[in-house]
Amino acid sequence: MAKKKGKKIRVAFKKNRQKKVRKNKLSSHQMDEHVDSQYMDASERLTGKGDLTRHRTVMGVEQETDDGTEIVIDIDESNCLPGRVIRSQGLNSVVQTEDGSRFECTVRRLVRTMSRDDRNAVVAGDHVLIRPEGDEHQAVIERVEPRRSYLSRGSKRREHILVSNIDQAVIVVSADDPPLKPSLIDRFLISSEKGNIHSIICINKIDLVDPVELQPLIGVYAQLGYDIVLTSVVEGTGIPRLRSLLKRKQSVFSGQSGVGKSSLLNQIDSQLSLETAEISQENRKGRHTTRSAILLEIATGGWVVDTPGIRQLQLWDVNPEEVEGFFREFHAFVPQCRFPDCSHTHEADCGIKRAVANDFISRQRYQSYLKIIAGDEPRPAYHQ
């Protein structure tokens, strides 16, 4: 298929935080801004208006994605190498090219200043085009390709994408220490489905409880069609099955701090040697050992991503009216609601509430639904 030709597109940039209006003197700006000018229309005005959102004309292609229209910057690809972001922290990233070489990369200013909802222009897992600079494996990320999947959360009124372009999310919770939080599982399931990612629920540390106690919870998610694996690093339980689920897949391990994500990955592939830490005995909370998301190649084929542990998961861009669609067990009962815009909270003759009363829908899952549409964030787990 012939490559679509780039055209002039007017795009929004981040708000100008400079106190003074930018003057029309190109010589007074940094070299990277001079390089950026090759992507801009020659007739662009360089004067701004203080803190107003800036707009510029760039050469690019508008591409339709599941989340709307995305602008792909038109660049000279003959000087670039395709690669995958292995790790990204701040403005610095590590990119691995097709031949296995790794480059320490910065991000072109044009890429990082285009207006967007997500917090970072480049995240682990991104497919990018880089332009090598110098002789010491240094490069500049010139373009980020559209993402086919992603796992994200809300953070300070922005979208925080944890990782992109992966096949499945292993949602790791612990049977105890820290305590099991079903509501957090439900939030991760929604975030994964919204990002076009298959979900696997991993209940770790089952050596700390009687597995019989977990059967009601396991039954709820198993009946909904989710893959569930019970694991114990201490006893080696479930590790072979988890390893087989990861084979030739690109997977992200997600969950709150202290549930044992890094320990599980070390069991899956001993060559990873990830840092681990014990649970704090003072407040029963997990301790962060993974500082940033990083792609790791495993011996059985495929990649895994170890992400920093989180204690809360704020959903991003999920309206209350959309939440029912992410609860699979609701689908059969929604048509039985009297009102087409039923919120399943207070309305009379509600099919969902009737199904809960008759135990066709888990009461725990229904309570989780109510908290999500009310905007209640799950509290950090700890023992009283």
Side-chain angles (χ1 to χ4, degrees):
M1 182 182 294
K3 180 183 176 182
K4 186 180 288 188
K5 187 177 180 181
K7 62 179 181 180
K8 295 179 180 179
I9 303 174
R10 196 70 171 166
V11 299
F13 276 59
K14 289 183 180 179
K15 291 184 178 181
N16 188 353
R17 298 179 181 176
Q18 296 175 353
K19 294 182 179 180
K20 296 181 179 179
V21 175
R22 181 179 168 189
K23 297 181 179 180
N24 189 12
K25 292 183 181 181
L26 286 177
S27 60
S28 64
H29 301 296
Q30 299 295 326
M31 181 59 68
D32 67 340
E33 190 153 334
H34 171 70
V35 176
D36 285 342
S37 65
Q38 65 180 302
Y39 306 124
M40 303 175 191
D41 183 27
S43 62
E44 179 200 1
R45 291 183 59 190
L46 296 180
T47 55
K49 292 185 178 180
D51 291 334
L52 296 179
T53 300
R54 299 173 293 168
H55 288 77
R56 293 181 181 176
T57 301
V58 302
M59 293 298 295
V61 175
E62 292 181 319
Q63 182 169 322
E64 293 297 327
T65 66
D66 292 338
D67 294 327
T69 302
E70 188 168 339
I71 296 174
V72 179
I73 303 171
D74 194 13
I75 64 174
D76 183 4
E77 297 184 18
S78 64
N79 297 325
C80 297
L81 298 173
R84 185 90 182 273
V85 178
I86 302 300
R87 181 199 297 240
S88 182
Q89 195 164 17
L91 298 178
N92 300 311
S93 302
V94 177
V95 175
Q96 180 169 310
T97 56
E98 294 176 346
D99 65 358
S101 300
R102 294 198 174 188
F103 290 81
E104 296 283 344
C105 298
T106 58
V107 184
R108 174 60 58 216
R109 188 180 183 198
L110 176 65
V111 174
R112 68 177 187 262
T113 56
M114 287 179 64
S115 181
R116 60 187 182 276
D117 290 332
D118 50 299
R119 199 171 72 176
N120 298 325
V122 178
V123 301
D126 277 344
H127 293 289
V128 296
L129 287 176
I130 64 172
R131 177 171 53 80
E133 285 189 344
D135 301 324
E136 300 298 328
H137 284 278
Q138 304 291 318
V140 176
I141 296 177
E142 294 283 355
R143 185 171 77 199
V144 179
E145 304 292 8
R147 296 159 179 154
R148 64 174 175 83
S149 63
Y150 57 90
L151 183 67
S152 72
R153 64 169 178 161
S155 176
K156 299 179 181 179
R157 300 184 180 179
R158 301 287 299 277
E159 182 179 22
H160 178 200
I161 298 180
L162 303 173
V163 65
S164 70
N165 301 315
I166 52 174
D167 303 315
Q168 56 190 17
V170 181
I171 302 167
V172 184
V173 295
S174 56
D176 193 17
D177 199 29
L180 180 59
K181 297 181 64 178
S183 60
L184 191 58
I185 295 177
D186 295 331
R187 288 174 177 268
F188 269 114
L189 290 174
I190 293 176
S191 183
S192 297
E193 185 170 339
K194 185 172 179 60
N196 196 30
I197 298 171
H198 173 70
S199 296
I200 298 171
I201 300 172
C202 175
I203 303 179
N204 192 30
K205 302 185 182 181
I206 62 167
D207 55 286
L208 299 180
V209 300
D210 182 352
V212 175
E213 299 175 3
L214 300 174
Q215 289 307 312
L217 181 71
I218 294 171
V220 167
Y221 291 107
Q223 290 178 358
L224 295 175
Y226 291 108
D227 289 325
I228 302 174
V229 56
L230 306 182
T231 58
S232 167
V233 172
V234 175
E235 299 177 349
T237 307
I239 301 301
R241 180 164 182 259
L242 183 57
R243 186 182 291 119
S244 68
L245 291 172
L246 303 180
K247 191 174 183 178
R248 291 191 290 274
K249 296 285 187 179
Q250 300 186 52
S251 312
V252 56
F253 275 56
S254 304
Q256 64 185 116
S257 302
V259 295
K261 298 185 298 296
S262 298
S263 297
L264 282 171
L265 288 171
N266 286 337
Q267 286 289 311
I268 290 166
D269 189 339
S270 60
Q271 299 299 316
L272 298 179
S273 300
L274 300 176
E275 181 184 355
T276 61
E278 298 294 330
I279 293 291
S280 170
Q281 297 302 314
E282 180 179 349
N283 55 23
R284 312 306 300 164
K285 297 180 182 179
R287 297 172 178 171
H288 295 288
T289 54
T290 303
R291 299 291 184 261
S292 61
I294 178 172
L295 272 69
L296 304 163
E297 196 165 6
I298 53 178
T300 55
W303 294 75
V304 294
V305 184
D306 189 19
T307 60
I310 61 174
R311 297 195 178 104
Q312 297 179 345
L313 180 67
Q314 177 186 354
L315 296 174
W316 176 259
D317 194 27
V318 177
N319 297 321
E321 298 79 11
E322 298 178 275
V323 175
E324 68 174 34
F326 294 105
F327 281 73
R328 299 178 179 181
E329 63 271 48
F330 283 23
H331 298 175
F333 300 101
V334 168
Q336 300 177 20
C337 293
R338 178 180 178 182
F339 303 103
D341 60 347
C342 184
S343 67
H344 319 305
T345 56
H346 63 279
E347 295 88 348
D349 200 13
C350 170
I352 298 299
K353 292 196 296 180
R354 188 161 50 245
V356 174
N358 292 319
D359 293 326
F360 293 122
I361 291 179
S362 160
R363 295 175 186 272
Q364 170 263 311
R365 286 271 289 174
Y366 178 64
Q367 289 300 317
S368 181
Y369 164 81
L370 294 178
K371 290 179 181 179
I372 291 173
I373 64 171
D376 295 340
E377 294 299 318
R379 295 180 181 276
Y382 61 93
H383 289 309
Q384 297 288 346

